[in-house]
Amino acid sequence: MRAVVLDGPVAAGELRVSRVAVPEPEPGWVRIKVEAFGLNRSEYHLRAGLATGARFPVIPGIEAAGTVDLAPGGEFTPGQQVVAMMGGMGRQYDGGYAEYTVVPASSVIPVETKLDWATLGALPEMLQTAHGSLYTGLDIQPGQTFLVRGGTSSVGVAAAVLAKDHGLTVLSTTRNPERLELLRELGVDHPLLDDGNLAESVRKLFPDGVNAALELVGTNVLPDTLKATAVHGTVCFTGMLSDAWTIPDFYPMDYLPNGVRLTAYSGESSDLPAAAFQRYVDLVADGRLPIRVDRVFAMEEIAEAHQVMEDGRAVGKLVVRVN
């Protein structure tokens, strides 16, 4: 089969499609014929040598969409539409950058849809991360004000759309003024240009600050996001688009504004129930959930796709169509 294999950290331009053996599943695992997979920032971290807990050689890819090819434990039926994500995919064992992938049955979610494969391939990890951040990390409630920092990323787009669907007033950021209109088209109530001093802009709109904030940029801007958040509001740290992961010499009394809560989210596929995923997929298919796919690549274009991701040139999700 065709697959992208990493023997160690490489530049984006060094990624190549190779020929490897089709993997065989053991009971409790499922072999999926991959039709499409989304690109994720964590795969850039792996490829660039920034990730921890990875083994080499490995086929990267923390998600995939396709059909069941073989399930020796009987958990799924051959030909059944499924998606898979997380659970060590593309790190501890081979992931979705291949024509076939073998994953634990616990990482597989069944789905029924007439969406094209590229659109379905964009959804698993994006929706899982957005859903988990909103409901596990932030416990959002209708009527709240909600800030997405890193709003043109795939998770940022999904989070804004899901929050609007849940009845929140949404503020979302971009560093590129040309992308403000795209945020408006996605239904964002208050698109904001992020100049590094976002708290001032937020408090001009909402003097008491927002009830909830999703941090997708990194620790370099986290103090400013905390300042934009109301007393008893919550900031959920989910993403690191800036590759700034840690807080040196963290002193909570100085770092955290009075009464503002800081949490984090980095969950698994089990955090997104199959019924919730199916509902989201149905909303996308009906045009009521405007998830944005920025570009679809062929598998042989994987080097270009990774370069676009690394450079931050996408608004929404980058997807690779396998066949």
Side-chain angles (χ1 to χ4, degrees), residues 89-124:
M89 276 184 76
R91 297 260 180 128
Q92 283 78 52
Y93 56 87
D94 288 337
Y97 284 27
E99 290 185 289
Y100 292 89
T101 187
V102 169
V103 301
S106 59
S107 296
V108 180
I109 298 177
V111 63
E112 294 183 10
T113 184
K114 293 183 180 178
L115 284 174
D116 62 274
W117 283 116
T119 302
L120 183 61
L123 301 181

mmCIF file of all heavy atoms in Angstrom, residues 89-124:
data_model
loop_
_atom_site.group_PDB
_atom_site.id
_atom_site.type_symbol
_atom_site.label_atom_id
_atom_site.label_comp_id
_atom_site.label_asym_id
_atom_site.label_seq_id
_atom_site.Cartn_x
_atom_site.Cartn_y
_atom_site.Cartn_z
ATOM 1 N N MET A 89 -2.773 7.060 17.738
ATOM 2 C CA MET A 89 -2.606 7.013 16.278
ATOM 3 C C MET A 89 -1.459 7.913 15.843
ATOM 4 O O MET A 89 -1.337 9.060 16.276
ATOM 5 C CB MET A 89 -3.878 7.495 15.567
ATOM 6 C CG MET A 89 -4.957 6.466 15.380
ATOM 7 S SD MET A 89 -6.362 7.135 14.421
ATOM 8 C CE MET A 89 -5.671 7.101 12.744
ATOM 9 N N GLY A 90 -0.612 7.387 14.977
ATOM 10 C CA GLY A 90 0.442 8.187 14.390
ATOM 11 C C GLY A 90 1.571 8.544 15.325
ATOM 12 O O GLY A 90 2.461 9.318 14.964
ATOM 13 N N ARG A 91 1.556 7.979 16.530
ATOM 14 C CA ARG A 91 2.624 8.222 17.506
ATOM 15 C C ARG A 91 3.114 6.893 18.070
ATOM 16 O O ARG A 91 4.233 6.490 17.837
ATOM 17 C CB ARG A 91 2.121 9.122 18.648
ATOM 18 C CG ARG A 91 1.699 10.518 18.198
ATOM 19 C CD ARG A 91 2.785 11.537 18.471
ATOM 20 N NE ARG A 91 2.413 12.882 18.040
ATOM 21 C CZ ARG A 91 2.474 13.952 18.795
ATOM 22 N NH1 ARG A 91 2.843 13.859 20.058
ATOM 23 N NH2 ARG A 91 2.167 15.142 18.309
ATOM 24 N N GLN A 92 2.237 6.220 18.823
ATOM 25 C CA GLN A 92 2.601 4.924 19.392
ATOM 26 C C GLN A 92 2.436 3.788 18.383
ATOM 27 O O GLN A 92 3.057 2.738 18.513
ATOM 28 C CB GLN A 92 1.767 4.615 20.644
ATOM 29 C CG GLN A 92 2.225 5.361 21.886
ATOM 30 C CD GLN A 92 1.747 6.813 21.884
ATOM 31 O OE1 GLN A 92 0.558 7.073 21.703
ATOM 32 N NE2 GLN A 92 2.655 7.742 22.081
ATOM 33 N N TYR A 93 1.576 3.981 17.409
ATOM 34 C CA TYR A 93 1.391 3.005 16.326
ATOM 35 C C TYR A 93 1.042 3.776 15.058
ATOM 36 O O TYR A 93 0.720 4.961 15.109
ATOM 37 C CB TYR A 93 0.321 1.957 16.674
ATOM 38 C CG TYR A 93 -1.026 2.544 17.040
ATOM 39 C CD1 TYR A 93 -1.975 2.829 16.067
ATOM 40 C CD2 TYR A 93 -1.342 2.827 18.364
ATOM 41 C CE1 TYR A 93 -3.207 3.364 16.397
ATOM 42 C CE2 TYR A 93 -2.572 3.372 18.709
ATOM 43 C CZ TYR A 93 -3.500 3.635 17.717
ATOM 44 O OH TYR A 93 -4.713 4.176 18.056
ATOM 45 N N ASP A 94 1.115 3.092 13.913
ATOM 46 C CA ASP A 94 0.954 3.760 12.626
ATOM 47 C C ASP A 94 -0.431 4.386 12.493
ATOM 48 O O ASP A 94 -1.448 3.809 12.906
ATOM 49 C CB ASP A 94 1.186 2.769 11.487
ATOM 50 C CG ASP A 94 2.650 2.387 11.349
ATOM 51 O OD1 ASP A 94 3.507 3.169 11.804
ATOM 52 O OD2 ASP A 94 2.925 1.297 10.798
ATOM 53 N N GLY A 95 -0.450 5.575 11.878
ATOM 54 C CA GLY A 95 -1.671 6.345 11.784
ATOM 55 C C GLY A 95 -2.283 6.401 10.406
ATOM 56 O O GLY A 95 -2.157 5.477 9.600
ATOM 57 N N GLY A 96 -2.933 7.530 10.114
ATOM 58 C CA GLY A 96 -3.832 7.623 8.977
ATOM 59 C C GLY A 96 -3.241 8.048 7.654
ATOM 60 O O GLY A 96 -3.954 8.074 6.651
ATOM 61 N N TYR A 97 -1.932 8.379 7.582
ATOM 62 C CA TYR A 97 -1.335 8.801 6.319
ATOM 63 C C TYR A 97 -1.030 7.570 5.444
ATOM 64 O O TYR A 97 0.101 7.322 5.068
ATOM 65 C CB TYR A 97 -0.025 9.549 6.571
ATOM 66 C CG TYR A 97 -0.121 10.973 7.072
ATOM 67 C CD1 TYR A 97 -1.204 11.435 7.814
ATOM 68 C CD2 TYR A 97 0.913 11.877 6.821
ATOM 69 C CE1 TYR A 97 -1.241 12.728 8.290
ATOM 70 C CE2 TYR A 97 0.877 13.176 7.295
ATOM 71 C CZ TYR A 97 -0.207 13.598 8.030
ATOM 72 O OH TYR A 97 -0.245 14.891 8.502
ATOM 73 N N ALA A 98 -2.052 6.809 5.110
ATOM 74 C CA ALA A 98 -1.845 5.552 4.393
ATOM 75 C C ALA A 98 -3.148 5.106 3.750
ATOM 76 O O ALA A 98 -4.229 5.616 4.073
ATOM 77 C CB ALA A 98 -1.351 4.471 5.361
ATOM 78 N N GLU A 99 -3.036 4.129 2.833
ATOM 79 C CA GLU A 99 -4.245 3.577 2.212
ATOM 80 C C GLU A 99 -5.025 2.693 3.173
ATOM 81 O O GLU A 99 -6.246 2.563 3.042
ATOM 82 C CB GLU A 99 -3.859 2.793 0.958
ATOM 83 C CG GLU A 99 -3.368 3.673 -0.179
ATOM 84 C CD GLU A 99 -3.105 2.889 -1.441
ATOM 85 O OE1 GLU A 99 -2.131 2.119 -1.476
ATOM 86 O OE2 GLU A 99 -3.899 3.045 -2.404
ATOM 87 N N TYR A 100 -4.329 2.090 4.142
ATOM 88 C CA TYR A 100 -4.984 1.292 5.181
ATOM 89 C C TYR A 100 -4.330 1.641 6.515
ATOM 90 O O TYR A 100 -3.119 1.835 6.594
ATOM 91 C CB TYR A 100 -4.823 -0.207 4.926
ATOM 92 C CG TYR A 100 -5.570 -0.714 3.724
ATOM 93 C CD1 TYR A 100 -4.976 -0.707 2.460
ATOM 94 C CD2 TYR A 100 -6.872 -1.196 3.841
ATOM 95 C CE1 TYR A 100 -5.658 -1.168 1.342
ATOM 96 C CE2 TYR A 100 -7.564 -1.656 2.724
ATOM 97 C CZ TYR A 100 -6.953 -1.642 1.487
ATOM 98 O OH TYR A 100 -7.635 -2.101 0.376
ATOM 99 N N THR A 101 -5.153 1.703 7.562
ATOM 100 C CA THR A 101 -4.627 1.893 8.903
ATOM 101 C C THR A 101 -5.311 0.928 9.852
ATOM 102 O O THR A 101 -6.487 0.591 9.666
ATOM 103 C CB THR A 101 -4.812 3.346 9.388
ATOM 104 O OG1 THR A 101 -4.140 3.534 10.622
ATOM 105 C CG2 THR A 101 -6.281 3.716 9.550
ATOM 106 N N VAL A 102 -4.574 0.462 10.847
ATOM 107 C CA VAL A 102 -5.108 -0.455 11.858
ATOM 108 C C VAL A 102 -5.099 0.278 13.194
ATOM 109 O O VAL A 102 -4.047 0.735 13.656
ATOM 110 C CB VAL A 102 -4.272 -1.748 11.932
ATOM 111 C CG1 VAL A 102 -4.658 -2.564 13.155
ATOM 112 C CG2 VAL A 102 -4.466 -2.564 10.662
ATOM 113 N N VAL A 103 -6.281 0.374 13.805
ATOM 114 C CA VAL A 103 -6.440 1.157 15.037
ATOM 115 C C VAL A 103 -7.275 0.365 16.036
ATOM 116 O O VAL A 103 -8.022 -0.540 15.665
ATOM 117 C CB VAL A 103 -7.124 2.505 14.745
ATOM 118 C CG1 VAL A 103 -6.322 3.318 13.739
ATOM 119 C CG2 VAL A 103 -8.543 2.301 14.242
ATOM 120 N N PRO A 104 -7.164 0.698 17.331
ATOM 121 C CA PRO A 104 -8.026 0.039 18.323
ATOM 122 C C PRO A 104 -9.500 0.314 18.033
ATOM 123 O O PRO A 104 -9.865 1.413 17.601
ATOM 124 C CB PRO A 104 -7.606 0.679 19.647
ATOM 125 C CG PRO A 104 -6.255 1.262 19.395
ATOM 126 C CD PRO A 104 -6.239 1.658 17.956
ATOM 127 N N ALA A 105 -10.341 -0.671 18.282
ATOM 128 C CA ALA A 105 -11.781 -0.490 18.067
ATOM 129 C C ALA A 105 -12.319 0.678 18.883
ATOM 130 O O ALA A 105 -13.276 1.348 18.476
ATOM 131 C CB ALA A 105 -12.529 -1.773 18.409
ATOM 132 N N SER A 106 -11.706 0.965 20.021
ATOM 133 C CA SER A 106 -12.160 2.053 20.876
ATOM 134 C C SER A 106 -11.940 3.427 20.262
ATOM 135 O O SER A 106 -12.537 4.414 20.712
ATOM 136 C CB SER A 106 -11.448 1.985 22.233
ATOM 137 O OG SER A 106 -10.040 2.072 22.065
ATOM 138 N N SER A 107 -11.087 3.513 19.248
ATOM 139 C CA SER A 107 -10.811 4.794 18.591
ATOM 140 C C SER A 107 -11.663 5.010 17.345
ATOM 141 O O SER A 107 -11.493 6.015 16.654
ATOM 142 C CB SER A 107 -9.324 4.873 18.201
ATOM 143 O OG SER A 107 -8.497 4.862 19.333
ATOM 144 N N VAL A 108 -12.570 4.080 17.065
ATOM 145 C CA VAL A 108 -13.374 4.108 15.844
ATOM 146 C C VAL A 108 -14.798 4.559 16.160
ATOM 147 O O VAL A 108 -15.408 4.094 17.126
ATOM 148 C CB VAL A 108 -13.398 2.726 15.175
ATOM 149 C CG1 VAL A 108 -14.232 2.755 13.892
ATOM 150 C CG2 VAL A 108 -11.978 2.254 14.872
ATOM 151 N N ILE A 109 -15.320 5.482 15.356
ATOM 152 C CA ILE A 109 -16.694 5.968 15.504
ATOM 153 C C ILE A 109 -17.446 5.681 14.205
ATOM 154 O O ILE A 109 -17.025 6.131 13.135
ATOM 155 C CB ILE A 109 -16.723 7.476 15.802
ATOM 156 C CG1 ILE A 109 -16.008 7.786 17.116
ATOM 157 C CG2 ILE A 109 -18.166 7.989 15.862
ATOM 158 C CD1 ILE A 109 -15.930 9.269 17.427
ATOM 159 N N PRO A 110 -18.570 4.942 14.275
ATOM 160 C CA PRO A 110 -19.358 4.710 13.059
ATOM 161 C C PRO A 110 -20.116 5.966 12.660
ATOM 162 O O PRO A 110 -20.477 6.798 13.503
ATOM 163 C CB PRO A 110 -20.322 3.598 13.491
ATOM 164 C CG PRO A 110 -20.478 3.799 14.972
ATOM 165 C CD PRO A 110 -19.156 4.317 15.465
ATOM 166 N N VAL A 111 -20.385 6.101 11.376
ATOM 167 C CA VAL A 111 -21.112 7.265 10.879
ATOM 168 C C VAL A 111 -21.839 6.874 9.599
ATOM 169 O O VAL A 111 -21.381 5.985 8.858
ATOM 170 C CB VAL A 111 -20.142 8.449 10.618
ATOM 171 C CG1 VAL A 111 -19.138 8.122 9.528
ATOM 172 C CG2 VAL A 111 -20.895 9.734 10.298
ATOM 173 N N GLU A 112 -22.974 7.504 9.362
ATOM 174 C CA GLU A 112 -23.707 7.326 8.108
ATOM 175 C C GLU A 112 -23.928 8.690 7.480
ATOM 176 O O GLU A 112 -24.533 9.571 8.099
ATOM 177 C CB GLU A 112 -25.054 6.638 8.357
ATOM 178 C CG GLU A 112 -24.943 5.203 8.853
ATOM 179 C CD GLU A 112 -26.293 4.539 9.013
ATOM 180 O OE1 GLU A 112 -27.303 5.129 8.552
ATOM 181 O OE2 GLU A 112 -26.357 3.443 9.596
ATOM 182 N N THR A 113 -23.420 8.865 6.278
ATOM 183 C CA THR A 113 -23.539 10.170 5.626
ATOM 184 C C THR A 113 -23.303 10.040 4.131
ATOM 185 O O THR A 113 -22.650 9.088 3.669
ATOM 186 C CB THR A 113 -22.520 11.167 6.219
ATOM 187 O OG1 THR A 113 -22.721 12.452 5.620
ATOM 188 C CG2 THR A 113 -21.091 10.712 5.977
ATOM 189 N N LYS A 114 -23.845 11.014 3.400
ATOM 190 C CA LYS A 114 -23.577 11.125 1.970
ATOM 191 C C LYS A 114 -22.586 12.251 1.679
ATOM 192 O O LYS A 114 -22.370 12.593 0.514
ATOM 193 C CB LYS A 114 -24.888 11.361 1.214
ATOM 194 C CG LYS A 114 -25.840 10.161 1.266
ATOM 195 C CD LYS A 114 -27.097 10.390 0.440
ATOM 196 C CE LYS A 114 -28.013 9.172 0.508
ATOM 197 N NZ LYS A 114 -29.274 9.392 -0.255
ATOM 198 N N LEU A 115 -21.988 12.804 2.723
ATOM 199 C CA LEU A 115 -20.933 13.788 2.507
ATOM 200 C C LEU A 115 -19.806 13.185 1.675
ATOM 201 O O LEU A 115 -19.519 11.988 1.784
ATOM 202 C CB LEU A 115 -20.356 14.256 3.852
ATOM 203 C CG LEU A 115 -21.166 15.244 4.693
ATOM 204 C CD1 LEU A 115 -20.475 15.441 6.034
ATOM 205 C CD2 LEU A 115 -21.324 16.575 3.976
ATOM 206 N N ASP A 116 -19.153 14.002 0.867
ATOM 207 C CA ASP A 116 -17.989 13.510 0.141
ATOM 208 C C ASP A 116 -16.882 13.207 1.143
ATOM 209 O O ASP A 116 -16.848 13.722 2.254
ATOM 210 C CB ASP A 116 -17.517 14.547 -0.879
ATOM 211 C CG ASP A 116 -17.075 15.848 -0.224
ATOM 212 O OD1 ASP A 116 -17.927 16.719 0.016
ATOM 213 O OD2 ASP A 116 -15.871 15.972 0.073
ATOM 214 N N TRP A 117 -15.956 12.326 0.730
ATOM 215 C CA TRP A 117 -14.926 11.840 1.646
ATOM 216 C C TRP A 117 -14.024 12.971 2.144
ATOM 217 O O TRP A 117 -13.591 12.959 3.298
ATOM 218 C CB TRP A 117 -14.098 10.749 0.983
ATOM 219 C CG TRP A 117 -14.787 9.429 0.926
ATOM 220 C CD1 TRP A 117 -15.181 8.747 -0.181
ATOM 221 C CD2 TRP A 117 -15.155 8.613 2.054
ATOM 222 N NE1 TRP A 117 -15.791 7.567 0.177
ATOM 223 C CE2 TRP A 117 -15.779 7.447 1.536
ATOM 224 C CE3 TRP A 117 -15.034 8.736 3.431
ATOM 225 C CZ2 TRP A 117 -16.273 6.436 2.348
ATOM 226 C CZ3 TRP A 117 -15.521 7.741 4.258
ATOM 227 C CH2 TRP A 117 -16.140 6.602 3.719
ATOM 228 N N ALA A 118 -13.733 13.933 1.297
ATOM 229 C CA ALA A 118 -12.844 15.013 1.724
ATOM 230 C C ALA A 118 -13.470 15.806 2.864
ATOM 231 O O ALA A 118 -12.800 16.159 3.841
ATOM 232 C CB ALA A 118 -12.514 15.935 0.551
ATOM 233 N N THR A 119 -14.779 16.084 2.765
ATOM 234 C CA THR A 119 -15.445 16.821 3.836
ATOM 235 C C THR A 119 -15.512 15.989 5.103
ATOM 236 O O THR A 119 -15.218 16.480 6.206
ATOM 237 C CB THR A 119 -16.856 17.238 3.398
ATOM 238 O OG1 THR A 119 -16.765 18.039 2.214
ATOM 239 C CG2 THR A 119 -17.551 18.037 4.487
ATOM 240 N N LEU A 120 -15.884 14.722 4.976
ATOM 241 C CA LEU A 120 -15.932 13.858 6.160
ATOM 242 C C LEU A 120 -14.540 13.725 6.778
ATOM 243 O O LEU A 120 -14.391 13.726 8.008
ATOM 244 C CB LEU A 120 -16.480 12.480 5.795
ATOM 245 C CG LEU A 120 -16.655 11.515 6.974
ATOM 246 C CD1 LEU A 120 -17.634 12.066 8.005
ATOM 247 C CD2 LEU A 120 -17.122 10.137 6.475
ATOM 248 N N GLY A 121 -13.514 13.639 5.941
ATOM 249 C CA GLY A 121 -12.152 13.514 6.447
ATOM 250 C C GLY A 121 -11.681 14.724 7.227
ATOM 251 O O GLY A 121 -10.759 14.626 8.041
ATOM 252 N N ALA A 122 -12.321 15.864 7.007
ATOM 253 C CA ALA A 122 -11.950 17.084 7.730
ATOM 254 C C ALA A 122 -12.499 17.119 9.141
ATOM 255 O O ALA A 122 -12.018 17.890 9.977
ATOM 256 C CB ALA A 122 -12.457 18.308 6.962
ATOM 257 N N LEU A 123 -13.490 16.300 9.444
ATOM 258 C CA LEU A 123 -14.292 16.516 10.641
ATOM 259 C C LEU A 123 -13.822 15.860 11.930
ATOM 260 O O LEU A 123 -13.983 16.462 13.008
ATOM 261 C CB LEU A 123 -15.741 16.067 10.358
ATOM 262 C CG LEU A 123 -16.451 16.782 9.205
ATOM 263 C CD1 LEU A 123 -17.876 16.249 9.070
ATOM 264 C CD2 LEU A 123 -16.459 18.281 9.415
ATOM 265 N N PRO A 124 -13.281 14.628 11.938
ATOM 266 C CA PRO A 124 -13.131 13.916 13.220
ATOM 267 C C PRO A 124 -12.358 14.664 14.292
ATOM 268 O O PRO A 124 -12.898 14.978 15.364
ATOM 269 C CB PRO A 124 -12.420 12.618 12.816
ATOM 270 C CG PRO A 124 -12.724 12.430 11.380
ATOM 271 C CD PRO A 124 -12.843 13.799 10.800
#
